[in-house]
Amino acid sequence: MKIARPRAFTLVELLVVIGIIAVLIAILLPTLQRARGQARSVYCLSNLRQMNMAFSMYQNDSRQKSFYYKDNYPTFWMSVLLKYQGKSTRIRLCPETTEPSYGWGSVWEYWGPDMANSWMQEHTGSYAFNGWLYRLDPSGTTGGGLKYGIGSPNDFILLPTKES
């Protein structure tokens, strides 16, 4: 009479299976990384689209005018557009920018308030509007490229409408 021994994997069989799994993982990891990168790109493009829609809604409410450039919280473009973004601040951050810079941003750092710009409060972001999109403030002294010493008061006060 034979004694029934439980069937088990040998060490060689186990190592072969582990080796096959390791090869499959090595083949799939670059593909997964590319898929993650594409997902981040889609997320980033979606954020930009939402910001564009918020700006368009603001313009519709403001007779096709852009916002003023003033260094204060209530008239800063992020404050102005917040109500058109569903009060969501997440759409201002690209998923690639993971660290704060506490000033000007970079490829991997989102920009945000530093001590010199404390009026910005919690405003941070990865995207911004070109300075030429700002219109002159009511005093007629700052707006568009004037803030940066470029252009004249007649430059880009109104954005073009569909009719023009």
Side-chain angles (χ1 to χ4, degrees):
M1 182 168 173
K2 288 186 176 181
I3 300 174
R5 295 170 72 200
R7 177 98 170 113
F9 289 110
T10 65
L11 182 60
V12 171
E13 291 172 328
L14 190 60
L15 289 175
V16 167
V17 169
I18 290 173
I20 290 171
I21 291 172
V23 167
L24 288 174
I25 288 174
I27 291 171
L28 290 177
L29 274 180
T31 305
L32 290 174
Q33 291 295 350
R34 274 194 304 274
R36 279 190 186 143
Q38 286 177 331
R40 285 190 301 267
S41 293
V42 167
Y43 186 90
C44 187
L45 289 172
S46 173
N47 287 349
L48 288 171
R49 183 172 187 263
Q50 290 179 43
M51 286 183 62
N52 179 42
M53 290 172 59
F55 182 66
S56 295
M57 287 187 285
Y58 169 79
Q59 277 194 292
N60 287 338
D61 287 350
S62 304
R63 297 186 206 140
Q64 300 304 315
K65 293 183 180 178
S66 186
F67 23 72
Y68 297 115
Y69 188 96
K70 294 198 74 145
D71 295 344
N72 61 35
Y73 185 82
T75 59
F76 187 53
W77 69 268
M78 286 189 163
S79 299
V80 171
L81 291 184
L82 196 56
K83 77 175 189 176
Y84 299 99
Q85 297 169 335
K87 303 212 185 274
S88 173
T89 58
R90 287 188 345 196
I91 71 170
R92 297 189 306 228
L93 291 172
C94 177
E96 296 291 334
T97 55
T98 56
E99 300 293 325
S101 68
Y102 304 107
W104 294 105
S106 70
V107 173
W108 307 113
E109 299 174 324
Y110 55 86
W111 54 264
D114 57 13
M115 294 312 287
N117 290 322
S118 58
W119 58 266
M120 289 175 59
Q121 297 177 20
E122 79 282 354
H123 287 313
T124 58
S126 305
Y127 320 109
F129 282 89
N130 188 308
W132 286 106
L133 292 177
Y134 295 110
R135 64 181 161 134
L136 288 174
D137 61 21
S139 69
T141 57
T142 3
L146 289 174
K147 177 68 180 174
Y148 308 104
I150 305 167
S152 70
N154 296 325
D155 294 331
F156 292 89
I157 295 169
L158 294 177
L159 291 178
T161 60
K162 290 180 182 175
E163 294 84 35
S164 55

